[in-house]
Amino acid sequence: MVVSSVLSPQARDDALTAMQGPPGRADLDVLVVGGGIVGVGTALDAVSRGLSTGLVEQRDLASGTSSRSSKLVHGGLRYLEMMDFALVREALQERGLLLTRLAPHLVRPVPFLYPLTHRVWERAYIGAGLSMYDGMAMLGKYDMGLPHHQHLTLRGVQRIAPDFDPASLTGAIKYWDCQVDDARLVLTIARTAAAHGAHVATRVRVTGFLREGDRVVGVRARDLEQDRDLEIRARVVVNAAGVWTDEIQDLAGGHGALRVQASKGIHLVVPRDRIRSEAGFIMRTEKSVLFVIPWERHWIIGTTDTPWDLDKAHPAASRADIDYLLGHVNAILREPLDHEDVEGVYAGLRPLLSGESEPTSRISREHTVVMPVPGLVMIAGGKLTTYRVMGRDAVDAAADTLRSTYHLAVRDSITDRVPLLGAAGWETRRNQRVLLARRSGLDVARIDHLLGRYGDQLDDLLALMESRPTLAEPVEGAEDHLGAEIVYAVTHEGARHLDDVLTRRTRISIETFDRGVSAAPGVAALMAEQLGWDAARTADEVDHYLRRVEAERQSQLMLTDQEADEARVTVRDIV
C-alpha cells in the first residue's frame, strides 16, 4: 500500500475512489464524518490502530469551529473555578503531551498576567487556584514543559505591561499556558492520518445513511466539487460533525441521543503595537473570562459566550459583540482601543451538550460518546486541547462493534506516542536555523516563521523555492507569507479555493486591515497555476472572496445577531 501525507487534488480523487471500494462491500472499518479537530483526531486514532479509515468533510478542513477558537492549548482556569477538576486535569495532561512530544513545532508557551484589582483576598484566592493548576500539570503522566506561576507587585506589572492603567490594579500573577494555530493543527493531524494510510476528502456532504436492517453500514454523499453522488460503505460510521451533530443524528433517526447547543464566541485581532506588553492577560467578565493573547505581530482578544440559533456555517459578529470586548479590555488600558484599531474579526460556534436552562458559559466542555443506532458512533462536546482523548474514546466505542459484530482484533490507542507530521526533525532544524537561512538566502526570522508552521516539512518549501526562486518573494499585500506557502497549500495541504488559503492555510483574512483584499488576486494567480483555473474561474474566486469580506464587514456594523446574520448570509460558500 502506497501512503503519503500529501493532500493534493489527485490525492482527493484517489481517496474517494478507495473509499467507494468494490460495489456492495465495506472496505473501510471506520468512516469519520467531519473534518474538524475531533474528526481528524478520530481518523488518526483509528488508522494508527491498524483500522482502514476514511474521512469526509462537507467544506474545508477546520472550516467551522476548529479554525475560530481562542487558539489556546490550556487546562481552563474557569473550569477549575467551576470545580470541574477532572476536565482540567485531563486538559493539562494533553497540553504537556502536545507541547513536549506530539507537536512541539506547532504548540508554543505563552505567558499570561492575571491582573489583580482587590488587595489581599484576591491574590490569595487566585494564587491558590494557580497553585492547584500547576500542581495538576506536574502530577500528570507527561512533562509539564512550562514554568510555574509567580506573583508580581504593581511595579513588576508596569515593567512587563507598561500600557496597563496602574490606577485599576494592585498587582498581578504571571502564569503560563500554550497556544496553537488551530487550523494548522487540524491540517497537520489530517496529513499525519493520511501518512499512516487514512483516506481524506473534503467538499463531500453526507446526505443519508446506508442500512442493512437497523444497522448503519455506510453513507450516501455528494461530491460537491464534481457534482456526483457517492456511496461509501463502512463497518462503523463516526459522526464528529460538531455543531451539525443534530442534523446528522436526525438523518440516522437517532431519536435525540445527543443534543448540541451552539454557543457563539467572537474574537478581535489588533496590531501588537497597540498594547505594550510582554505577556498576554486574562480578565474576569460578568459572564465568563476574557483573554488578550499575543499572536505573532498581533493580539487576539476574546471571547464572548452567547447562544446562537442562526446560520451555523457562517456565524456573524455584531457591533454589540465587538463593543463588549473593547469595553472590557479598555477597562485596564491607559489608552483605549477603538474600532479603527481592529484588523480582523472572527466568530465561531462551540458545540456544547445541551444543559436545560443553563447559560452557555456554564455548560460543560466535557464530551460524550453514544451509539444511537447500531453501526453509528456519535461524539460531541469537548474542547480543542482534549481532541486526542475524544478521538480515542470515539474509536473505543467503534471497536466494541468491530469486535462483537465483525470479529476484528482492535488494538489499544497509541496516539500519545505518534508525533504529528513535522515534529520528528523540528528540533534539529531549529538548531540549524542560521545555517538554513544562509543557504536559502532567507533571513533567520523568516526561517523561524516557517519552522513554526511546518516543522521539519520546511525542507519541502525550501526545495520548492530553490526550484522556483520567485516563490521566495513575499506575497503582495501579505508580506508575512511567501509565494511558496501558497503553492504548497494547494499541492500538499488540500486547499481547493481562495478562501481556504486566505482564511485557514494562512490567516491573511484576519491579520491585515483590508482582510486580505489586496492579497487576493496574487494568491489566486498562484493557485490557478496548480489547479488549472482559467482567467474566468480565477476572477470568480477573487470576486467571491471580496464579496465575502464585504458581507462580514456589513454584519459587524449591525447591532443584533439577527441583523448580523442576515448581512453575512448574503454570500454563501463558493461550492
Side-chain angles (χ1 to χ4, degrees), residues 5 37 40-41 43-45 48 73 94 97-107 180-196 384 387-388 414-426 453-457:
S5 67
I37 189 67
V40 297
L44 177 57
D45 191 279
S48 62
V73 174
E94 293 302 308
L97 184 61
L98 282 162
L99 175 65
T100 63
R101 187 185 302 181
L102 300 185
H105 56 310
L106 299 177
V107 176
V180 69
D181 184 326
D182 46 8
R184 292 210 66 82
L185 178 62
V186 171
L187 169 66
T188 304
I189 298 168
R191 290 190 64 195
T192 307
H196 291 290
L384 179 78
Y387 81 87
R388 191 192 66 82
I414 63 166
T415 49
D416 61 337
R417 303 189 298 279
V418 179
L420 300 186
L421 189 73
W426 167 75
R453 289 169 54 78
Y454 304 98
D456 65 19
Q457 301 298 294

Side-chain angles (χ1 to χ4, degrees), residues 312-326:
K312 292 179 179 178
H314 305 290
S318 67
R319 187 176 182 90
D321 292 327
I322 297 170
D323 288 342
Y324 173 86
L325 291 181
L326 291 176

Side-chain angles (χ1 to χ4, degrees), residues 256-296:
L258 284 178
R259 284 301 168 199
V260 169
Q261 181 174 342
S263 168
K264 184 180 74 168
I266 83 138
H267 295 79
L268 312 179
V269 182
V270 303
R272 192 69 176 267
D273 62 7
R274 298 302 195 269
I275 303 173
R276 289 180 300 158
S277 177
E278 297 171 12
F281 50 100
I282 178 175
M283 301 169 54
R284 287 176 177 273
T285 71
E286 64 275 12
K287 298 178 181 177
S288 182
V289 294
L290 182 140
F291 286 96
V292 181
I293 307 161
W295 179 256
E296 297 184 347

Side-chain angles (χ1 to χ4, degrees), residues 388-464:
R388 191 192 66 82
V389 177
M390 296 178 70
R392 181 195 68 196
D393 290 352
V395 179
D396 281 347
D400 291 340
T401 292
L402 294 173
R403 293 187 184 108
S404 62
T405 303
Y406 297 100
H407 310 294
L408 295 181
V410 182
R411 296 173 176 82
D412 291 338
S413 176
I414 63 166
T415 49
D416 61 337
R417 303 189 298 279
V418 179
L420 300 186
L421 189 73
W426 167 75
E427 193 166 7
T428 299
R429 292 293 177 272
R430 186 180 61 171
N431 291 341
Q432 297 170 337
R433 55 201 282 272
V434 175
L435 178 62
L436 292 171
R438 189 183 309 130
R439 287 177 176 172
S440 65
L442 301 174
D443 59 43
V444 174
R446 186 74 74 177
I447 294 292
D448 288 341
H449 164 84
L450 296 173
L451 279 169
R453 289 169 54 78
Y454 304 98
D456 65 19
Q457 301 298 294
L458 160 76
D459 295 350
D460 291 342
L461 283 103
L462 294 179
L464 182 59

Side-chain angles (χ1 to χ4, degrees), residues 72-286:
L72 292 176
V73 174
H74 65 143
L77 278 177
R78 66 175 169 140
Y79 308 133
L80 194 62
E81 191 172 36
M82 293 163 64
M83 312 290 280
D84 202 341
F85 300 125
L87 177 62
V88 175
R89 185 185 309 111
E90 180 179 78
L92 287 171
Q93 288 187 3
E94 293 302 308
R95 183 192 72 178
L97 184 61
L98 282 162
L99 175 65
T100 63
R101 187 185 302 181
L102 300 185
H105 56 310
L106 299 177
V107 176
R108 52 188 59 89
V110 180
F112 284 95
L113 299 180
Y114 194 113
L116 303 174
T117 57
H118 300 87
R119 298 187 182 279
V120 185
W121 73 265
E122 189 179 26
R123 184 179 291 277
Y125 178 69
I126 301 302
L130 284 168
S131 295
M132 186 180 297
Y133 197 66
D134 286 347
M136 286 182 175
M138 290 176 61
L139 295 174
K141 293 187 292 183
Y142 312 110
D143 292 341
M144 177 177 173
L146 296 171
H148 292 206
H149 74 278
Q150 63 183 104
H151 289 259
L152 300 176
T153 63
L154 181 57
R155 181 172 295 178
V157 175
Q158 290 176 308
R159 281 196 296 267
I160 294 173
D163 275 355
F164 282 16
D165 181 3
S168 64
L169 304 176
T170 62
I173 303 178
K174 182 181 180 180
Y175 76 100
W176 292 79
D177 253 320
C178 293
Q179 73 175 180
V180 69
D181 184 326
D182 46 8
R184 292 210 66 82
L185 178 62
V186 171
L187 169 66
T188 304
I189 298 168
R191 290 190 64 195
T192 307
H196 291 290
H199 307 295
V200 178
T202 58
R203 265 70 185 213
V204 178
R205 176 178 295 148
V206 170
T207 57
F209 287 90
L210 302 175
R211 303 264 194 164
E212 289 180 1
D214 291 336
R215 179 171 297 280
V216 168
V217 294
V219 302
R220 294 186 182 86
R222 182 76 176 170
D223 179 351
L224 300 179
E225 293 286 0
Q226 299 181 15
D227 289 325
R228 57 178 179 140
D229 293 320
L230 311 171
E231 287 192 357
I232 303 173
R233 301 181 72 85
R235 295 177 178 89
V236 178
V237 176
V238 178
N239 173 29
V243 293
W244 283 273
T245 293
D246 291 1
E247 285 82 349
I248 299 293
Q249 182 172 248
D250 291 343
L251 283 177
H255 307 298
L258 284 178
R259 284 301 168 199
V260 169
Q261 181 174 342
S263 168
K264 184 180 74 168
I266 83 138
H267 295 79
L268 312 179
V269 182
V270 303
R272 192 69 176 267
D273 62 7
R274 298 302 195 269
I275 303 173
R276 289 180 300 158
S277 177
E278 297 171 12
F281 50 100
I282 178 175
M283 301 169 54
R284 287 176 177 273
T285 71
E286 64 275 12

Side-chain angles (χ1 to χ4, degrees), residues 38 239 242 245 258 260 351 353 366-369 378-382 390:
V38 179
N239 173 29
T245 293
L258 284 178
V260 169
L353 297 172
E366 291 189 57
H367 64 274
T368 297
V369 180
M378 307 194 71
I379 182 163
M390 296 178 70

